[in-house]
């Protein structure tokens, strides 16, 4: 009888551990979903402000066309091409706002200070949102690699989480001058 009780206690403890681990994994997947939604919102905000600036007439025509095409491509990109399109938008922003003179021209235009401030805030938030998402992905991947999770299939049918790898470095001149 005593052996039966010890086996029952051991099975109960294993069951509690597996349930706790499955709950933790579920919370990590929920955190990934929330972080991905936040990242998508920041990317959309950055593209929207860029489009607004590109069509405002504040920039010279060549810069406007470069920013408009990159922002439009980022907003219209399919999920498979999204990281590439967002990286190209980052590169276009750095190309246009690489020189402080271009930032000053925007700041001097009517309403330019507000628009430049919005854009500076948007480009600063994208790397933070991507970092939060990738941290959640890293934690979920680490937990999913554990033998217990694999053997008991605690992840269920949830897809393996993927990190977002893209160029999101903001233009330094814009962040320094307009991001104050």
């Amino acid at each position: 009888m005593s052996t039966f009780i010890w086996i029952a206690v051991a099975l109960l403890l294993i069951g509690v551990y597996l349930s706790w681990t499955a709950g933790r994994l579920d919370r990590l997947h929920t955190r990934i979903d929330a972080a991905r939604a936040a990242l998508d919102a920041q990317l959309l905000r950055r593209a929207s402000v860029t489009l607004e600036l590109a069509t405002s007439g504040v920039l010279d025509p060549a810069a406007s066309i470069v920013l408009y095409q990159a922002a439009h491509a980022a907003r219209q990109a399919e999920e498979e091409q999204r990281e590439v399109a967002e990286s190209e938008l980052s590169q276009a922003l750095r190309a246009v706002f690489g020189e402080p003179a271009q930032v000053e021209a925007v700041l001097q235009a009517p309403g330019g200070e507000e628009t430049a401030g919005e854009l500076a805030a948007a480009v600063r938030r994208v790397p933070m949102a991507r970092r939060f998402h990738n941290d959640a992905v890293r934690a979920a991947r680490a937990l999913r690699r554990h033998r217990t999770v694999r053997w008991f299939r605690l992840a269920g049918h949830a897809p393996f989480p993927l990190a977002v790898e893209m160029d999101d470095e903001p233009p330094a001149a814009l962040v320094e001058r307009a991001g104050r």
Side-chain angles (χ1 to χ4, degrees):
M1 185 75 170
S2 168
T3 307
F4 177 72
I5 292 173
W6 284 111
I7 291 173
V9 168
L11 289 175
L12 178 68
L13 289 176
I14 290 170
V16 168
Y17 173 74
L18 291 175
S19 174
W20 175 80
T21 304
R24 182 171 166 225
L25 189 58
D26 185 53
R27 286 189 301 276
L28 282 171
H29 283 165
T30 301
R31 192 170 124 205
I32 289 170
D33 291 342
R36 181 59 191 229
L39 175 60
D40 288 342
Q42 292 304 326
L43 291 171
L44 181 63
R45 179 75 184 137
R46 179 179 75 161
S48 297
V49 174
T50 303
L51 282 172
E52 181 182 320
L53 182 62
T55 59
S56 68
V58 172
L59 299 170
D60 62 86
S64 293
I65 290 171
V66 167
L67 287 182
Y68 180 84
Q69 288 177 342
H72 182 69
R75 286 187 69 175
Q76 300 299 318
E78 296 292 326
E79 194 60 35
E80 307 85 47
Q81 298 298 317
R82 182 113 189 253
E83 292 175 11
V84 172
E86 294 293 348
S87 294
E88 289 172 355
L89 177 55
S90 296
Q91 293 165 3
L93 285 166
R94 282 196 309 273
V96 171
F97 294 109
E99 297 296 321
Q102 186 75 349
V103 177
E104 287 299 324
V106 172
L107 291 171
Q108 299 305 320
E113 194 163 325
E114 181 181 330
T115 304
E118 283 183 53
L119 183 58
V123 298
R124 273 196 323 265
R125 288 182 186 135
V126 167
M128 287 187 293
R130 186 175 70 88
R131 199 170 312 121
F132 286 136
H133 176 269
N134 288 349
D135 287 346
V137 166
R138 200 171 301 113
R141 282 178 163 186
L143 184 58
R144 286 181 70 151
R145 283 191 196 105
H146 288 199
R147 278 189 218 130
T148 309
V149 173
R150 289 193 324 264
W151 288 348
F152 289 97
R153 299 175 191 243
L154 298 180
H157 296 288
F160 196 73
L162 299 174
V164 174
E165 298 301 331
M166 59 180 246
D167 177 3
D168 59 5
E169 185 180 332
L174 178 67
V175 173
E176 288 173 9
R177 179 65 179 99
R180 293 184 216 175

